[in-house]
Amino acid sequence: MKKNTELKETLGSVREIISDSSFDNPTYLGIAYFIRDLFFFSVTMFLLWNVETWYYLPFLWVFAGLSIASLFIIGHDACHGALFKSERFAYWIGQIAMLPSLHAYNQWGYGHNRVHHGHTIKIKGDFVWHPVTPEQYKNFGIFRKAFHRLSWSALGGGIYYLVEIWLKGMVLFTAPMKEALRDKLLMLLFAFGSAGAVFYFGGNTPTGFDLGLGAWFFLKVWLLPFISWNYFIGVTVYVHHIRPEVPWKEADDWTPFYGQMRGTVNYHVPKFLNFFMHNIFIHSPHHVHMKIPFYKLGQALEEIKVYYGAYVVERKSVWKDYIESTSKCKLMDPETKRWMTYAEAFNDEDESEPELEAAT
């Protein structure tokens, strides 16, 4: 624990604040959370398989997305080395926990641990919700402009994550490490195998195979839970780092302190949501030091606030902030690096493309 009150705007000085107890991660606790989350995921999948009452299904799809998110966060912490002391144990627990979200352990870890954490809200560094300038947007084709307006709107959180993070970063890209390709192939095998199994067994009836029934089970049990998960993670990552008053910075003006402290937002969410989301909304301590387990993030935040409270960004309403930010944060001013709306960027000129305005 830091013994003096001298404040330095460096990541190392913030890390000195955090006590050793904030890093305690007994193996049994990580296993207990993993088993708990696996249980809720299994129950939700069982109910989705057997329930056909239409007004229950939307709730089950929401719970499916939450239960997948719970397991993903277990894998997330394992990959950071926060949940278990044994790397081999962390790998197997983390790999299994990430499969329902169709994420490959080391493939994901390369982009998240090295790039996102190493260059948080740095222009040409961080790839997560990376902004574009008005000039870059003007050079987009009509379909790319339409996709930008949709994915940066309130309806687009899950779409952005599905395309920009999962498809491009997890499937089409392969990290330059042998473990990444191995894990990606394992994930793809699970994806196609689970989708095929749901389709086959869902459509298998005593009188033969029903193609329409198989397609319905694929949609009900496999695809919509996956889309639900993408929305939960997409919105979560968005509110972590996108705020109208938080500009991104160029490399020569960026510091790790700025990225992890000023560019990372903390939310205190209802207990029900936090039961599934494992303190993921208490986010700046995680960015200050990745080896703090999720169940210690609250403690670490309070320790950081003793000295660096003025630098900690805390907000109360995830949903309100998400709506506000998606209405104001569309493009980035190339000079000030601050967020702009399309109208502000183009001053209502022809380039504002009014025919696309409804998509935002």
Side-chain angles (χ1 to χ4, degrees):
M1 180 77 73
K2 192 178 181 71
K3 298 300 183 183
N4 60 71
T5 58
E6 180 185 359
L7 294 181
K8 297 179 181 178
E9 292 189 9
T10 66
L11 199 57
S13 65
V14 183
R15 287 175 172 173
E16 291 179 14
I17 298 296
I18 304 170
S19 67
D20 292 342
S21 65
S22 286
F23 295 92
D24 289 344
N25 58 349
T27 299
Y28 78 87
L29 199 52
I31 294 174
Y33 275 112
F34 171 64
I35 292 174
R36 188 202 74 170
D37 294 343
L38 195 60
F39 169 78
F40 281 106
F41 171 73
S42 301
V43 168
T44 305
M45 291 297 106
F46 174 82
L47 291 174
L48 274 174
W49 189 273
N50 290 282
V51 170
E52 290 293 341
T53 307
W54 69 268
Y55 48 82
Y56 288 148
L57 289 176
F59 295 100
L60 289 176
W61 289 324
V62 169
F63 278 111
L66 281 171
S67 65
I68 293 171
S70 296
L71 285 169
F72 173 81
I73 297 167
I74 295 294
H76 166 278
D77 270 35
C79 194
H80 277 304
L83 210 56
F84 303 107
K85 294 178 177 66
S86 166
E87 289 187 13
R88 182 177 294 275
F89 196 69
Y91 171 79
W92 285 111
I93 294 290
Q95 184 74 269
I96 295 169
M98 281 189 167
L99 285 177
S101 62
L102 304 186
H103 279 59
Y105 188 80
N106 281 296
Q107 168 78 357
W108 173 83
Y110 178 87
H112 182 82
N113 295 9
R114 299 189 188 187
V115 182
H116 173 57
H117 273 268
H119 307 276
T120 306
I121 70 166
K122 181 198 293 182
I123 295 174
K124 297 179 182 178
D126 196 356
F127 66 96
V128 179
W129 292 100
H130 194 284
V132 299
T133 67
E135 189 64 30
Q136 290 170 325
Y137 174 82
K138 285 170 65 175
N139 291 328
F140 288 169
I142 187 171
F143 293 110
R144 191 172 178 187
K145 285 178 179 177
F147 177 77
H148 188 277
R149 286 178 175 262
L150 174 60
S151 61
W152 285 81
S153 73
L155 297 176
I159 296 169
Y160 180 96
Y161 191 92
L162 178 65
V163 175
E164 297 292 337
I165 307 300
W166 182 76
L167 179 62
K168 292 183 178 180
M170 192 60 49
V171 178
L172 300 181
F173 171 75
T174 301
M177 50 191 301
K178 62 180 181 180
E179 297 89 349
L181 178 59
R182 175 200 64 197
D183 291 353
K184 184 166 81 168
L185 292 176
L186 178 61
M187 179 272 290
L188 290 174
L189 178 64
F190 176 84
F192 286 109
S194 60
V198 168
F199 177 74
Y200 174 77
F201 290 106
N204 199 23
T205 71
T207 59
F209 185 78
D210 186 323
L211 183 63
L213 188 60
W216 165 241
F217 267 78
F218 169 76
L219 180 71
K220 180 179 74 160
V221 179
W222 196 93
L223 184 59
L224 288 177
F226 181 63
I227 292 174
S228 174
W229 135 258
N230 275 273
Y231 268 92
F232 275 111
I233 190 63
V235 171
T236 298
V237 174
Y238 182 95
V239 298
H240 280 165
H241 303 292
I242 306 297
R243 285 290 303 155
E245 66 272 19
V246 179
W248 284 44
K249 290 183 179 281
E250 297 279 2
D252 57 0
D253 195 32
W254 179 92
T255 66
F257 179 90
Y258 178 81
Q260 316 310 350
M261 289 291 290
R262 302 302 297 170
T264 305
V265 183
N266 302 277
Y267 287 91
H268 300 281
V269 300
K271 291 182 180 180
F272 171 79
L273 180 60
N274 203 47
F275 178 86
F276 291 97
M277 300 302 285
H278 293 319
N279 283 336
I280 198 172
F281 289 102
I282 300 177
H283 206 55
S284 58
H286 170 65
H287 269 260
V288 167
H289 205 301
M290 294 182 287
K291 289 190 180 294
I292 302 172
F294 64 82
Y295 46 82
K296 292 285 189 173
L297 290 174
Q299 173 181 320
L301 179 64
E302 294 305 313
E303 292 172 350
I304 291 170
K305 286 166 61 177
V306 170
Y307 291 93
Y308 285 90
Y311 297 89
V312 172
V313 183
E314 290 186 279
R315 306 286 300 176
K316 293 182 179 180
S317 174
V318 171
W319 181 243
K320 181 181 178 181
D321 278 12
Y322 178 69
I323 296 299
E324 178 190 9
S325 296
T326 53
S327 68
K328 295 180 178 179
C329 303
K330 303 294 187 179
L331 303 169
M332 182 151 286
D333 188 310
E335 299 299 325
T336 66
K337 303 301 184 289
R338 291 193 174 275
W339 291 100
M340 316 167 70
T341 64
Y342 296 114
E344 290 169 341
F346 301 116
N347 296 315
D348 295 321
E349 298 174 358
D350 291 340
E351 290 90 341
S352 63
E353 301 167 331
E355 71 275 9
L356 291 177
E357 203 67 45
T360 64

